[in-house]
Each structure stands twice: as structure tokens, then as C-alpha cells.
């Protein structure tokens, strides 16, 4: 049991490191292709199979007994999920010294942590087959051990047995620690079928006998899972695009100079500037062609000192999460503003704004990791 506890503790530590979301353009493109986001989602699961206990191999007769399970759960991210799992029905134990076995009923409830091993190493979020590492903790309740009571006269090792009559009645509850693997085959958007094998460590009271050594219950079950609650890919929101105008609205019909009775000359206004810097995943400073764009904007600011430039930072909505993306967008905008100040642009001429992933200027997801500079 000590080794099992170590495994469960390691799984919890691994979960903490995997809960951090990272921007993933591959998964975003996959979502647009599928027409829905493969994660997160809720699920309902039914299972049926067989179980066997560790001390039964020395006893005669069939080693396996039927078992059934039901679970509800939620995958919080492509990697990490959780479920409430209930398993039980009937199991068999034995006395090797008298070559006989007895059955009793049981039910186990566990809170399980699920780690999708495939998604740890693959950028896509949906695969033909997923492999989940399962670790859980819960309680087991056992009852109906009348067949054991009928054998109590045949063995000396009954002093701590639980039972309805002659022997002292011990607590029928015991702990349950679990590790297992679930191989799950996705057959449709909402459905999957799989095979799960679990190793359960239970208190020695589980089998009516007491030797101060935990019992092991192994279950192997086929599963059918219904998945629901998929989100649709976010539709990109087009940001307004500033275009050059030949005339200022206020002066459209003014400032007309007549050179001759037949010649009319319009006085042009200052050209607005509209530049965009694009970034790779998790980048906040090393945008492509940044130096050239900063120089161009700085020259425009010096030419038109009474005008202002707005520096808007963005992050792509298809990956990451809103909190992380807000940080990326803000940092990108601040770094651009800092570069402009280093080129001599006064702070009063610069306005900085961050939209996170709440606004998507471009239809293509990857382009939304950007900073848009508009001066007018």
C-alpha cells in the first residue's frame, strides 16, 4: 500500500503542473475542422466485467466474479479530468487450508483523477484511441457473508471476522486506493468504448478475515461512455480596420483653392498610420519586422506631434485561457509602447490598450497574437 500511496501522490503533483494552459494553434485548427472543441466535456460511463482478489489463486474453483460500475465525470482540459466512480456486486474469497471458497457482496465508491497520457505528448486533442492513467481514493462497504459464517468451524483464523452471528462484528467500511489504466476508443462525437483494468487496495476486513495485510482487488471491465457539453469554436470577431482617407471629414468641402476658373485643388490632410506586429506562441517582444515598424511609427509621431497613436494588444482566443491571454496581450502592448518611447516618442502621444482574447481582429487564429498600432 505504501507504494500505491506514492504513486497517487506523484499523480497529484503531476496534475498541478499540467493544469496550466498553453496556447496551441494545432488544437485550435482541429476544433475548427471538427466543428466543436474536444475539451472540456462531461461524461457518463457504464462498465461491466470481472474481478478477482489476490488470495483467491490458492483456492479451488472459478477465480473470477461479475462486477459492474457507473461513473459521472468531467474533463477539465485535454489532459486532466475527474470522475465519481461506483463499482460493486460480488466477489469471492477462499481458505487455502480447507480448499473451499465463499462469496460476499461489496460496493466501492471512489473519487478518481484521470490523466490523458496521449494528450501529454500530442498537440491534438482528439485521437482514435485515448489512454488514461487513473488514480483514486474512496471507501468500500462489504456485506452478506453468510457463506463465510458457515465455514467458521473449519478454520482457526476467524477471530476478527465480521458476521451477523457468533463472531465479533467489525466495521464493514474499509478504505480503497486505486491505480489503473483505461484504453478508450472514440467511435463517434459523443460515444466511446474501452477497457479498464484497476488495482484496488482495501483493508483486510474486506474479505471477512484479518491478517493485518491489505487485500488486493483486481477489476477488468468493458466500458461505454457518453460525452456531452462540447463547446463550439469561437467565431473570430473582426476588429474595425482603419483605412486611409483622402480628406478629413471636417474639411471635405473646405480648403478648396482655385488656381484658375477651371481648376480646383484639394488640400490633403495628414496620412493616418496603421501597422500590425505578429507574434509566435507565448512571445511578447520578439515580433517579426518589429524594428522597421517601430521606426516608421516613431517618424510619423515626430512628423505629427499633435496626433496620437493607439497601441492595442491581442491574444488568440482558440488556445490558452482568458486570464493567461490577457497577460500576453497586455505585455505585448506595453513592450511596443516602451520601444516607441525609446525612439523619442513622448508618453503623452501614446495610448496603450489590451483586449486579451475578447476581440479577434483576424479570421485566422494565429494572426490574433498581435499588436495593432493606429495613428490618426
Amino acid at each position: 500500500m505504501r507504494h500505491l500511496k506514492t504513486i497517487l501522490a506523484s499523480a497529484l503533483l503531476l496534475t498541478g503542473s499540467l493544469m496550466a494552459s498553453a496556447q496551441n494553434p494545432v488544437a485550435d485548427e482541429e476544433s475548427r475542422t471538427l466543428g466543436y472543441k474536444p475539451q472540456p466535456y462531461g461524461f457518463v460511463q457504464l462498465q461491466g466485467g470481472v474481478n478477482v482478489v489476490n488470495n483467491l489463486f490458492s483456492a479451488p474453483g472459478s477465480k473470477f466474479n461479475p462486477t459492474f460500475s457507473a461513473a459521472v465525470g468531467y474533463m477539465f482540459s485535454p489532459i486532466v479530468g475527474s470522475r465519481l466512480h461506483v463499482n460493486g456486486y460480488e466477489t469471492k474469497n477462499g481458505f487455502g487450508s480447507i480448499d473451499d471458497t465463499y462469496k460476499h457482496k461489496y460496493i466501492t465508491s471512489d473519487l478518481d483523477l484521470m490523466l490523458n497520457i496521449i494528450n501529454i505528448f500530442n498537440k491534438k486533442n482528439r485521437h482514435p484511441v485515448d489512454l488514461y492513467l487513473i488514480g483514486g481514493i474512496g471507501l468500500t462497504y462489504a456485506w452478506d457473508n453468510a457463506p463465510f459464517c458457515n465455514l467458521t468451524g473449519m478454520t482457526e483464523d476467524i477471530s476478527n471476522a465480521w458476521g451477523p452471528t457468533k463472531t465479533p462484528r467489525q466495521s464493514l467500511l474499509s478504505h480503497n486506493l486505486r491505480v489503473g489504466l483505461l484504453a478508450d476508443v472514440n467511435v463517434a462525437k459523443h460515444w466511446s468504448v474501452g477497457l479498464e483494468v484497476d488495482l484496488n487496495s482495501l483493508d483486510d476486513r474486506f474479505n471477512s478475515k484479518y491478517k493485518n495485510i491489505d487485500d488486493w482487488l483486481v477489476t477488468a471491465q468493458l466500458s461505454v461512455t457518453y460525452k456531452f457539453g462540447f463547446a463550439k469554436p469561437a467565431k473570430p470577431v473582426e476588429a474595425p480596420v482603419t483605412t486611409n482617407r483622402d480628406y478629413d471629414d471636417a474639411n471635405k468641402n473646405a480648403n478648396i483653392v482655385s488656381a484658375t476658373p477651371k481648376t480646383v485643388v484639394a488640400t490633403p490632410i495628414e496620412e493616418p498610420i496603421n501597422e500590425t506586429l505578429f507574434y509566435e506562441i507565448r512571445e511578447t517582444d520578439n515580433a517579426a519586422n518589429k524594428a522597421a515598424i517601430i521606426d516608421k511609427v516613431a517618424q510619423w509621431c515626430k512628423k505629427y506631434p499633435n496626433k496620437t497613436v493607439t497601441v492595442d494588444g491581442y491574444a488568440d482566443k482558440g488556445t490558452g485561457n482568458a486570464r493567461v491571454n490577457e497577460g500576453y496581450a497586455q505585455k505585448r502592448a506595453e513592450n511596443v509602447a516602451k520601444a516607441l518611447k525609446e525612439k523619442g516618442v513622448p508618453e503623452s502621444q501614446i495610448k496603450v490598450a489590451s483586449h486579451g482574447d475578447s476581440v479577434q481582429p483576424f479570421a485566422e487564429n494565429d494572426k490574433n497574437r498581435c499588436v495593432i498600432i493606429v495613428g490618426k
Side-chain angles (χ1 to χ4, degrees):
M1 187 178 73
R2 182 175 59 188
H3 298 298
L4 185 57
K5 291 180 178 178
T6 302
I7 293 172
L8 291 174
S10 301
L12 290 173
L13 290 174
L14 178 62
T15 303
S17 64
L18 295 176
M19 284 297 288
S21 297
Q23 297 183 351
N24 186 351
V26 174
D28 182 69
E29 180 63 30
E30 175 193 32
S31 297
R32 290 198 296 269
T33 301
L34 291 172
Y36 65 94
K37 292 184 178 181
Q39 277 87 17
Y41 64 85
F43 64 89
V44 177
Q45 191 175 67
L46 296 177
Q47 298 176 311
V50 296
N51 68 54
V52 63
V53 293
N54 62 306
N55 63 355
L56 190 60
F57 292 103
S58 61
S62 174
K63 305 294 192 298
F64 302 102
N65 284 275
T67 190
F68 304 95
S69 299
V72 293
Y74 194 81
M75 287 300 298
F76 301 99
S77 74
I79 298 174
V80 181
S82 181
R83 72 178 183 183
L84 180 61
H85 188 270
V86 178
N87 165 249
Y89 179 50
E90 189 174 71
T91 189
K92 182 185 294 184
N93 289 273
F95 292 96
S97 59
I98 59 175
D99 286 341
D100 208 343
T101 60
Y102 59 93
K103 295 181 180 180
H104 64 82
K105 303 294 193 301
Y106 78 97
I107 186 169
T108 294
S109 61
D110 275 78
L111 181 61
D112 292 332
L113 172 70
M114 304 175 66
L115 300 180
N116 190 326
I117 300 174
I118 301 297
N119 281 340
I120 294 176
F121 304 102
N122 196 307
K123 292 183 178 181
K124 288 188 176 182
N125 290 338
R126 182 175 172 85
H127 316 279
V129 180
D130 287 305
L131 183 63
Y132 296 90
L133 174 64
I134 294 173
I137 185 170
L139 292 173
T140 297
Y141 183 80
W143 76 97
D144 193 14
N145 72 333
F148 169 81
C149 296
N150 295 333
L151 296 175
T152 55
M154 303 180 187
T155 178
E156 70 283 355
D157 187 22
I158 62 172
S159 59
N160 286 285
W162 52 267
T165 54
K166 301 177 182 179
T167 57
R169 190 175 182 85
Q170 303 292 322
S171 171
L172 305 185
L173 283 173
S174 74
H175 65 261
N176 184 52
L177 300 177
R178 167 185 295 163
V179 292
L181 285 174
L182 167 62
D184 204 39
V185 180
N186 294 298
V187 296
K189 174 182 177 181
H190 293 285
W191 295 94
S192 64
V193 294
L195 172 64
E196 180 173 344
V197 177
D198 293 325
L199 178 63
N200 301 271
S201 175
L202 309 113
D203 190 277
D204 200 24
R205 290 190 298 272
F206 173 72
N207 63 359
S208 300
K209 301 180 297 182
Y210 193 79
K211 293 184 178 180
N212 202 26
I213 300 175
D214 273 21
D215 288 318
W216 296 97
L217 176 70
V218 181
T219 60
Q221 300 181 90
L222 297 176
S223 65
V224 176
T225 304
Y226 175 74
K227 304 173 182 180
F228 58 91
F230 296 108
K232 294 182 178 180
K235 294 182 178 180
V237 178
E238 297 290 344
V241 178
T242 303
T243 59
N244 293 340
R245 295 175 299 173
D246 293 330
Y247 303 100
D248 186 277
D249 291 338
N251 298 320
K252 184 178 293 184
N253 298 314
N255 299 324
I256 307 298
V257 178
S258 296
T260 67
K262 295 182 179 180
T263 305
V264 178
V265 178
T267 303
I269 66 161
E270 300 91 343
E271 289 288 337
I273 191 168
N274 190 332
E275 299 292 337
T276 304
L277 294 90
F278 297 102
Y279 297 80
E280 297 295 331
I281 294 176
R282 291 184 291 275
E283 277 191 351
T284 58
D285 197 27
N286 189 29
N289 203 28
K290 177 182 176 182
I293 291 177
I294 294 297
D295 286 340
K296 182 178 179 180
V297 175
Q299 291 299 318
W300 185 92
C301 291
K302 292 176 182 178
K303 184 177 180 180
Y304 305 111
N306 295 326
K307 302 292 182 179
T308 60
V309 290
T310 301
V311 180
D312 292 294
Y314 301 88
D316 63 304
K317 189 177 183 66
T319 56
N321 58 57
R323 180 183 62 81
V324 173
N325 289 342
E326 173 60 32
Y328 282 127
Q330 183 69 34
K331 193 65 175 177
R332 287 163 183 161
E334 290 175 351
N335 285 339
V336 170
K338 178 181 177 183
L340 289 173
K341 293 173 189 177
E342 292 174 350
K343 288 292 183 178
V345 180
E347 185 173 355
S348 60
Q349 202 175 357
I350 305 171
K351 293 182 179 179
V352 177
S354 172
H355 303 279
D357 60 16
S358 63
V359 177
Q360 301 288 272
F362 300 97
E364 183 179 343
N365 179 73
D366 290 356
K367 287 187 176 181
N368 292 308
R369 297 187 294 272
C370 67
V371 169
I372 298 177
I373 309 170
V374 177
K376 57 182 179 180

